[in-house]
Amino acid sequence: MVTMIATVVRAWGSQVLVTDNANGQEVLVNTNHSTSNLMTGEQVRIVYDGIMTASLPPQISAQSICVLRVY
């Protein structure tokens, strides 16, 4: 499994477009769950299997997406 820390650009349905904090690349994240709780600008931790498509933007399938909160 691979972990990505990213910033939410836009979320809809079961997809979310994020910017990878490590390299600034936009990535389309697919999941089996609703992403309606994700807000633009939130920081998220995404766990996926390491497979990323060569499309533009690249796509991954998330195992989990967790919002990172600062307290």
Side-chain angles (χ1 to χ4, degrees):
M1 293 296 152
V2 176
T3 301
M4 175 190 297
I5 305 298
T7 304
V8 174
V9 175
R10 181 173 169 238
W12 67 98
S14 61
Q15 296 180 309
V16 58
L17 183 65
V18 300
T19 301
D20 185 345
N21 290 357
N23 59 20
Q25 180 179 33
E26 284 195 340
V27 177
L28 181 61
V29 182
N30 297 296
T31 180
N32 292 328
H33 305 284
S34 172
T35 60
S36 63
N37 63 320
L38 299 175
M39 305 288 288
T40 300
E42 283 186 313
Q43 300 295 300
V44 292
R45 180 178 53 241
I46 302 164
V47 177
Y48 68 104
D49 60 8
I51 298 171
M52 184 178 291
T53 68
S55 61
L56 291 175
Q59 297 182 37
I60 61 174
S61 294
Q63 301 291 324
S64 69
I65 302 173
C66 298
V67 176
L68 301 176
R69 304 236 186 253
V70 177
Y71 295 97

